[in-house]
């Protein structure tokens, strides 16, 4: 992630060509992901997500394309290209009244150009979230993911790099109850895939939008979580170790300032930005 797209395309030209051949019958159904200028970026994201297994990546890509056609996602993308604001997304207000997070940190991006997303998961109103109508939340999540990839696609066009979000999960004030509720929300994403996916091609929304994160920082983690992470990371590939870091309260400011300029980073994480940053 955050690597020149041209390098990945050259290094894995055989896998890219194989995948394109397998998808040639369906690529024309979506101008956004099936044609220039974004096609190669999407192809590479799916290949990276499937460890450059062209057959597996093509299967996921095909299901994603069917999902886009069923839900007219290219039409959603055109609205963003024509200036639609995130706050105008259907269900935006209702979702963020329950889930305190940034959509895209308004004060700026990370030092490497990555957009920043901050989630204060222990302060979410899970009971209110559970009461949101399924159809409305399905629609919001679909538009939400498409907007995130709209940002990443525009950034890739500008820089020639494969970018992802810097995702910050803030566990301040968290308890085991919150982690259980988060697991429940994750399970709901799988069920959502059965509703938004095309017939016979169920696929979760995260699977439709792979490799959208360059780094994950879990902040204000309890001591036991930090200790368990240091044990578990020894069994993980170096790329994953670099991507995910769990940080206790004492190390939050130091870690975040290595990734984000002080004038961009909210004050509560050790920076200088004092404006509102949560939706």
């Amino acid at each position: 992630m955050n690597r020149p797209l041209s390098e990945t395309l050259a290094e894995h030209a055989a896998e890219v060509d194989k995948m394109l051949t397998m998808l040639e019958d369906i690529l024309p159904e979506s101008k956004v992901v099936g044609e220039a200028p974004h096609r190669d970026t999407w192809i590479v994201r799916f290949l990276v997500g499937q460890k450059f297994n062209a057959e597996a990546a093509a299967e996921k890509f095909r299901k994603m394309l069917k999902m886009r056609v069923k839900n007219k996602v290219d039409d959603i993308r055109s609205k963003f290209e024509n200036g639609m604001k995130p706050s105008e997304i259907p269900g935006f207000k209702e979702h963020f009244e329950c889930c305190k997070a940034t959509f895209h940190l308004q004060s700026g991006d990370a030092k490497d150009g990555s957009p920043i997303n901050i989630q204060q998961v222990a302060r979410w109103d899970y009971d209110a979230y559970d009461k949101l109508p399924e159809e409305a939340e399905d629609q919001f999540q679909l538009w939400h993911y498409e907007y995130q990839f709209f940002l990443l696609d525009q950034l890739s066009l500008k820089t020639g790099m494969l970018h992802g979000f810097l995702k910050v999960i803030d566990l301040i004030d968290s308890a085991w109850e919150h982690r259980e509720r988060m697991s429940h929300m994750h399970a709901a994403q799988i069920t959502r895939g059965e509703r938004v996916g095309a017939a016979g091609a169920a696929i979760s929304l995260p699977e439709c939008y792979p490799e959208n994160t360059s780094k994950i920082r879990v902040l204000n983690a309890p001591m036991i979580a930090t200790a368990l992470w240091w044990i578990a990371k020894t069994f993980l590939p170096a790329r994953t170790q670099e991507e995910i870091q769990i940080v206790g309260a004492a190390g939050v400011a130091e870690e975040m300032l290595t990734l984000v300029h002080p004038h961009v980073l909210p004050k509560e994480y050790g920076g200088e930005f004092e404006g509102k940053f949560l939706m």
Side-chain angles (χ1 to χ4, degrees):
M1 196 61 65
N2 286 18
R3 178 189 182 193
L5 183 62
S6 58
E7 290 183 8
T8 305
L9 288 169
E11 184 178 341
H12 295 278
E15 292 90 343
V16 171
D17 289 343
K18 184 175 183 179
M19 190 172 168
L20 289 174
T21 298
M22 297 175 70
L23 294 169
E24 60 184 357
D25 64 313
I26 196 172
L27 281 174
E29 295 189 18
S30 171
K31 292 184 179 297
V32 172
V33 305
E35 298 179 1
H38 302 308
R39 185 199 67 184
D40 289 351
T41 304
W42 281 69
I43 289 289
V44 168
R45 287 190 190 278
F46 274 78
L47 280 170
V48 172
Q50 298 299 317
K51 297 181 173 60
F52 293 96
N53 181 323
E55 290 87 353
E59 180 182 358
K60 294 285 187 184
F61 203 98
R62 183 176 292 274
K63 290 182 177 180
M64 176 273 296
L65 279 166
K66 290 182 178 180
M67 184 281 296
R68 293 188 73 87
V69 172
K70 174 189 174 184
N71 295 282
K72 300 180 179 179
V73 183
D74 279 12
D75 292 345
I76 296 174
R77 174 63 68 99
S78 70
K79 293 181 185 297
F80 296 138
E81 292 172 341
N82 290 326
M84 182 178 183
K85 299 177 181 178
S87 58
E88 297 173 318
I89 289 176
F92 179 94
K93 179 176 181 291
E94 292 79 3
H95 177 87
F96 283 109
E97 283 180 348
C98 304
C99 305
K100 299 300 181 184
T102 65
F103 204 79
H104 172 206
L105 187 61
Q106 64 178 7
S107 54
D109 297 326
K111 291 179 180 179
D112 65 0
S114 299
I116 303 171
N117 176 267
I118 301 175
Q119 301 179 9
Q120 293 188 340
V121 295
R123 295 174 178 172
W124 289 0
D125 187 340
Y126 291 95
D127 291 331
Y129 179 83
D130 287 343
K131 294 175 183 176
L132 291 176
E134 282 186 351
E135 184 176 348
E137 183 63 7
D138 287 352
Q139 186 180 39
F140 168 79
Q141 290 293 346
L142 179 59
W143 286 63
H144 174 202
Y145 273 101
E146 185 64 20
Y147 183 76
Q148 285 191 329
F149 262 56
F150 165 68
L151 292 178
L152 295 178
D153 283 345
Q154 296 303 310
L155 194 55
S156 291
L157 282 180
K158 181 179 179 180
T159 66
M161 306 282 283
L162 191 67
H163 285 276
F165 274 78
L166 166 59
K167 186 172 183 177
V168 178
I169 302 173
D170 187 356
L171 296 182
I172 192 167
D173 300 327
S174 67
W176 284 112
E177 175 193 356
H178 299 118
R179 290 154 220 171
E180 291 172 1
R181 300 298 290 272
M182 286 180 66
S183 297
H184 173 74
M185 289 178 69
H186 178 73
Q189 298 230 353
I190 306 302
T191 305
R192 180 171 296 118
E194 297 173 355
R195 297 194 294 268
V196 302
I203 182 170
S204 70
L205 285 176
E207 289 177 299
C208 290
Y209 296 92
E211 298 300 310
N212 65 350
T213 303
S214 60
K215 293 182 179 67
I216 298 174
R217 294 297 182 264
V218 181
L219 306 182
N220 294 302
M223 188 176 298
I224 187 171
T226 306
L228 289 172
W229 167 246
W230 278 103
I231 296 172
K233 70 183 294 187
T234 61
F235 300 97
L236 298 174
R239 175 175 174 269
T240 304
Q241 290 187 36
E242 181 182 352
E243 181 176 312
I244 305 173
Q245 294 291 334
I246 296 183
V247 184
V252 166
E254 180 180 1
E255 176 63 23
M256 292 304 297
L257 286 169
T258 65
L259 302 172
V260 184
H261 290 296
H263 71 277
V264 173
L265 186 66
K267 192 170 184 179
E268 69 180 86
Y269 298 111
E272 300 169 357
F273 180 70
E274 298 187 26
K276 179 181 178 182
F277 68 94
L278 295 176
M279 294 299 179

